[in-house]
Amino acid sequence: MANPERKQFQTVSRRKTPETRGKAGGAPVLAPEAERNKDSIMKRHTDMNTETLYSDAVALLRDLIRIPSPSREEAGTADRLAAFLSDSGIETPWKKNNVWAFNRHYDPAKPTILLNSHHDTVRPNSGYTRDPYDPAIEDDRLYGLGSNDAGASGVSLLAAFRHFYDREEMKYNLCVAITAEEENSGSDGLECVLPELGPLDFAIVGEPTQMQLAIAERGLMVVDCTARGRSGHAAREEGDNAIYKAMQDIEWFRSYRFPKVSELFGAVKMTVTIISAGTQHNVVPAECRFTVDIRVTDRYTNEEVLDEIRRHVRSEVAPRSTRLKPSSIPPAHPIVRAGLALGRTTYGSPTTSDQALLDIPSLKLGVGDSARSHSADEFVGLSEIREGIDLYIRMLSAIL
């Protein structure tokens, strides 16, 4: 059934053509091979087992690793993802370097679950001892940039989506979105796609959590502060030293404790990380600038924290952004209960992801270990991918 809340698209392939090459998202084009083989593709979906899903996921992840995809430069991996879905007979819209799809029997009367992960990466660091774009397999390890963060989660979510794609009579719709610009918190990733997806009930965000249940994530807000004084000669009793004014506010940031404390994260954490003032040794500075990194818990919104800061400090306070919000899902939510029943544990994640852009309940749950993210010689375990696909399917089966 068509979804009146979203645009209609044909089954597409994003393999580059003279018309679309070099564009972040060309007009949808028909994938003839998918159309010709529709019946066989549908039968393959029906007969698909976990082993097939696993082998397809590993092959796709190796393809993605071979294609450099630093943030804002993900067109190649977006093409590969769209072609993979199109070749599976799945309608694949895209916008910029983001691709997504809905289950075949979408019903607008039902709530929709978002399955999201990202396909952009950081740039390889200088500590690499192997080719970051060579998806070598050694024993249980698949190496390569983006293998752990977050390619393994992305291909595992796609496997789970394919498992349910042709199912009828589900309680929820499924939408899978593999998006760009997560690593740089860019606005041309998940944020620009959300308006295209229609109403969403809750989300599973694929980031490396060792397939444990991150039921909350800290928000992030960075504020630039400016204390203003009046310049004068340092040898005389002149001027109004902006550094001294800034010191009073910096002490407040160091010592203040927000009254509401999170059960998962504790208190809101504020850390002054940069300070700059003065032009030369004999001039009283008229201005002192400093920057504060603020990790907001699930007990506050970014706007509430910003209001509290402005009530207490004399410096001018300018947030760089308030869009990276704290996020959470109730511990009693059915998807959390499904994970607990499978032996998973809950925790609060200190790192920030695209989960911060969502205004719906969201669970961070993914393949791999966050400690490996952005590290040299990044890898993910093949057994971790197999486990991830299995757990995604079993958890979703419990609520669908």
Side-chain angles (χ1 to χ4, degrees), residues 4-46:
E5 300 287 343
R6 61 183 171 90
K7 300 173 183 177
Q8 299 303 303
F9 296 86
Q10 293 176 303
T11 301
V12 300
S13 169
R14 285 205 70 209
R15 292 189 183 91
K16 291 180 182 178
T17 67
E19 291 75 30
T20 63
R21 186 180 294 115
K23 297 179 182 178
V29 294
L30 188 64
E33 67 277 13
E35 184 64 30
R36 285 194 302 270
N37 299 317
K38 184 179 293 184
D39 291 341
S40 63
I41 288 170
M42 290 182 67
K43 185 177 187 302
R44 192 164 73 236
H45 281 303
T46 303

Side-chain angles (χ1 to χ4, degrees), residues 83-114:
F84 175 81
L85 287 167
S86 177
D87 290 346
S88 299
I90 298 173
E91 293 183 0
T92 312
W94 73 83
K95 183 177 181 180
K96 298 186 183 293
N97 290 328
N98 308 285
V99 298
W100 68 92
F102 290 85
N103 58 297
R104 183 183 296 278
H105 302 288
Y106 181 93
D107 182 348
K110 295 178 181 178
T112 298
I113 302 170
L114 173 64

Side-chain angles (χ1 to χ4, degrees), residues 179-240:
T179 50
E181 294 197 11
E182 190 275 344
E183 295 291 2
N184 67 335
S185 301
S187 59
D188 284 339
L190 177 61
E191 188 172 27
C192 84
V193 168
L194 287 172
E196 311 289 344
L197 305 184
L200 301 168
D201 191 70
F202 73 91
I204 297 175
V205 177
E207 290 281 352
T209 69
Q210 301 180 73
M211 291 304 290
Q212 302 302 331
L213 312 171
I215 60 173
E217 177 182 276
R218 286 182 186 269
L220 170 63
M221 182 169 59
V222 178
V223 297
D224 293 311
C225 303
T226 304
R228 300 195 184 279
R230 188 177 69 258
S231 63
H233 198 294
R236 296 188 289 269
E237 297 296 326
E238 293 179 352
D240 185 8

Side-chain angles (χ1 to χ4, degrees), residues 42 50 67 103 108 125 145 201 235 240 242 249 263 275 284 305 307 339 343 349 373:
M42 290 182 67
T50 303
I67 305 169
N103 58 297
N125 65 57
L145 181 63
D201 191 70
D240 185 8
D249 289 342
E263 292 183 6
I275 187 168
V284 174
V305 170
D307 288 345
S349 173
S373 299

Side-chain angles (χ1 to χ4, degrees), residues 4 10 53 112 129 138 170 196-197 207 250 277 280 342 400:
Q10 293 176 303
L53 292 170
T112 298
T129 63
E138 297 178 10
M170 295 193 299
E196 311 289 344
L197 305 184
E207 290 281 352
I250 289 171
Q280 59 190 64
L342 293 171
L400 291 175

Side-chain angles (χ1 to χ4, degrees), residues 299-316:
R299 297 300 306 277
Y300 291 92
T301 66
N302 286 348
E303 290 77 11
E304 288 172 336
V305 170
L306 183 60
D307 288 345
E308 187 75 358
I309 292 169
R310 284 172 168 163
R311 279 196 294 269
H312 285 84
V313 304
R314 294 190 297 171
S315 298
E316 299 169 10

